Amino acid sequence: MSLCFKRPLWFGLFVFSALFLVLALGQKANATSITLDTADTELCEVQVTIGPEAPNGPIHKFTDIDTDDRYTFQTNKLCNRRSVGGEACTGEYTEWACCEAKDGEDITCRVP
């Protein structure tokens, strides 16, 4: 039994590859990311919420942060706050500071 194709096999591979590239590049163009920049050396803890409902939502906590640490989130809205008191965690936090990016835009958000 043999299979009969009306078009050559290379044509099918070409169409599949073209479709894959269009879908992959389309997703990349709409991808949005926000990078959290922690330039302060005296941080005990940073709290982050992401998504359209931020700062309401699940809180992600980051401790033991170095000066050059950067955290990237695939989202268009990010809110963050830091602990008060430098390296000594007091249990108090600054007000939420939020950053928003447009679709397809990559931005950096600094810790207050």
Side-chain angles (χ1 to χ4, degrees):
M1 175 191 285
S2 67
L3 296 174
C4 179
F5 295 106
K6 291 185 178 184
R7 298 196 189 265
L9 182 59
W10 64 266
F11 181 78
L13 291 174
F14 173 77
V15 170
F16 177 78
S17 298
L19 182 61
F20 177 78
L21 284 174
V22 167
L23 291 174
L25 293 176
Q27 290 291 342
K28 181 64 176 170
N30 292 331
T32 302
S33 68
I34 300 178
T35 300
L36 187 65
D37 183 10
T38 58
D40 192 344
T41 57
E42 295 183 10
L43 284 174
C44 172
E45 182 177 289
V46 174
Q47 294 183 343
V48 175
T49 61
I50 59 173
E53 301 299 319
N56 301 318
I59 295 175
H60 307 279
K61 296 179 182 182
F62 298 91
T63 57
D64 299 324
I65 301 167
D66 290 330
T67 348
D68 55 352
D69 281 355
R70 292 175 183 257
Y71 303 94
T72 301
F73 301 88
Q74 300 301 314
T75 186
N76 62 343
K77 185 174 181 184
L78 177 144
C79 296
N80 70 89
R81 65 183 181 178
R82 62 178 284 169
S83 56
V84 176
E87 292 178 355
C89 287
T90 63
E92 297 178 40
Y93 294 91
T94 60
E95 293 294 318
W96 288 104
C98 298
C99 299
E100 290 191 58
K102 297 176 186 171
D103 285 343
E105 184 180 37
D106 296 332
I107 66 170
T108 299
C109 187
R110 296 186 65 96
V111 174

